[in-house]
Amino acid sequence: ENSYWVKMGELIKVDGGVENIRFSENSDVVAFGGFWNTQKDENGQTSGLGSVLIYEWSNNQWNLKGDVIKGGIDRRGFAVSFDIDSTGNLVAISNRDFDDENFGLTGKVEFYNFNSQNSSWELMNDDRKSIVYNKNPDNINPYFGSTVNINDDATVISVSTLTYPYYVDTDFYGTDELFNEGFLISNFKWDDETKSWTLLNEIYSNSTAPSNNFASPTNTSLSGNGRYLSLAGGYNINDPYLSGKVRVFSINNSPPIA
């Protein structure tokens, strides 16, 4: 017997681009948006850089759940990546270009909870505090929050730190090598007693030598129980055809090398 994909409800139209999309566990809540999804206010003026829109399926149609979560001029890199928990009531959003007064341009992950009483998304300050993390303070542009994944109950979060590839100045070095600083995946667990995030472990790349490939993963996914993490994308250095690769990790006490 043949089966078919059937469109649910009317087409959801939004301003700006949609780079990411995430579902709740039973798929009745969907979050989408991204860095290029720039919303406008009632006067038609740009109100922020990056945004996340969350819709809920009810009465056979998709309805906007609460307000649009927007970035701002002081929150560049907002919504480069995000993820939603199994209930569809908590969302983690990266602010990848966050400029911390102590660490400089480091990146940040914020958590928003849905308030059903006033139908709005509120930044969480006590429970699920924001994460600002920079493993290497000498790296002035680490892009912490390039990918964000949370488990079902948002007690485990996996965040990637990526640095963009760059070309060496040929006039100065006499070469045109492409450098890639590699990547770092930091996994945190929420401690309900101390109300803080604890670093569980990290997955890191040792591809710091000059190469003509992009070693950093473009997509990551965390299992519902928070024990398995998959990384997709990145050229295989040893493959002459530069094919991509998928790596799957399980939580271990020793730090793995991707």
Side-chain angles (χ1 to χ4, degrees):
E1 184 178 352
N2 294 329
S3 59
Y4 304 90
W5 290 98
V6 178
K7 182 166 69 74
M8 296 175 58
E10 297 297 324
L11 181 68
I12 304 175
K13 297 181 180 180
V14 296
D15 294 329
V18 176
E19 291 88 46
N20 295 295
I21 187 167
R22 296 288 188 272
F23 277 105
S24 62
E25 184 177 26
N26 60 7
S27 302
D28 63 343
V29 177
V30 59
F32 57 88
F35 172 67
W36 294 107
N37 187 270
T38 304
Q39 298 295 305
K40 295 182 179 180
D41 58 23
E42 60 274 9
N43 298 318
Q45 300 297 316
T46 299
S47 58
L49 297 175
S51 60
V52 177
L53 301 89
I54 298 157
Y55 278 74
E56 187 169 25
W57 180 256
S58 62
N59 298 321
N60 292 321
Q61 63 181 357
W62 292 106
N63 301 292
L64 183 64
K65 183 173 182 175
D67 46 357
V68 178
I69 307 176
K70 303 175 182 178
I73 300 301
D74 60 339
R75 301 165 79 194
R76 296 174 56 218
F78 186 78
V80 165
S81 184
F82 54 85
D83 201 4
I84 195 167
D85 74 341
S86 63
T87 67
N89 291 318
L90 186 151
V91 61
I93 307 176
S94 73
N95 186 1
R96 191 193 61 182
D97 299 340
F98 173 74
D99 195 349
D100 185 82
E101 60 181 5
N102 296 318
F103 298 104
L105 193 62
T106 177
K108 181 181 184 181
V109 176
E110 299 174 341
F111 299 85
Y112 292 81
N113 188 58
F114 184 69
N115 187 331
S116 58
Q117 295 183 347
N118 57 17
S119 188
S120 65
W121 291 94
E122 299 177 349
L123 179 65
M124 304 174 72
N125 293 317
D126 297 325
D127 196 12
R128 306 299 192 279
K129 294 178 180 178
S130 299
I131 303 175
V132 178
Y133 183 69
N134 188 355
K135 184 178 178 66
N136 181 12
D138 294 330
N139 188 346
I140 62 174
N141 202 9
Y143 294 111
F144 175 77
S146 292
T147 61
V148 173
N149 298 99
I150 57 177
N151 66 336
D152 284 346
D153 59 1
T155 56
V156 177
I157 182 170
S158 179
V159 187
S160 71
T161 300
L162 307 182
T163 53
Y164 287 145
Y166 60 93
Y167 285 96
V168 172
D169 188 348
T170 55
D171 293 335
F172 185 81
Y173 289 96
T175 181
D176 194 20
E177 290 287 351
L178 176 64
F179 282 71
N180 190 313
E181 294 292 334
F183 65 91
L184 176 75
I185 308 290
S186 303
N187 304 300
F188 301 86
K189 184 175 178 60
W190 177 254
D191 190 324
D192 212 32
E193 293 185 2
T194 62
K195 298 296 180 182
S196 63
W197 291 99
T198 301
L199 182 64
L200 279 175
N201 54 26
E202 296 183 305
I203 302 172
Y204 58 93
S205 166
N206 60 354
S207 59
T208 56
S211 60
N212 291 312
N213 71 92
F214 297 89
S216 302
T218 54
N219 289 286
T220 59
S221 181
L222 185 67
S223 64
N225 60 10
R227 295 191 58 83
Y228 300 94
L229 177 69
S230 63
L231 313 178
Y235 292 159
N236 188 333
I237 297 175
N238 299 318
D239 189 338
Y241 298 102
L242 297 180
S243 61
K245 55 184 175 181
V246 176
R247 291 152 286 189
V248 181
F249 297 89
S250 62
I251 286 183
N252 197 309
N253 292 328
S254 59
I257 298 178

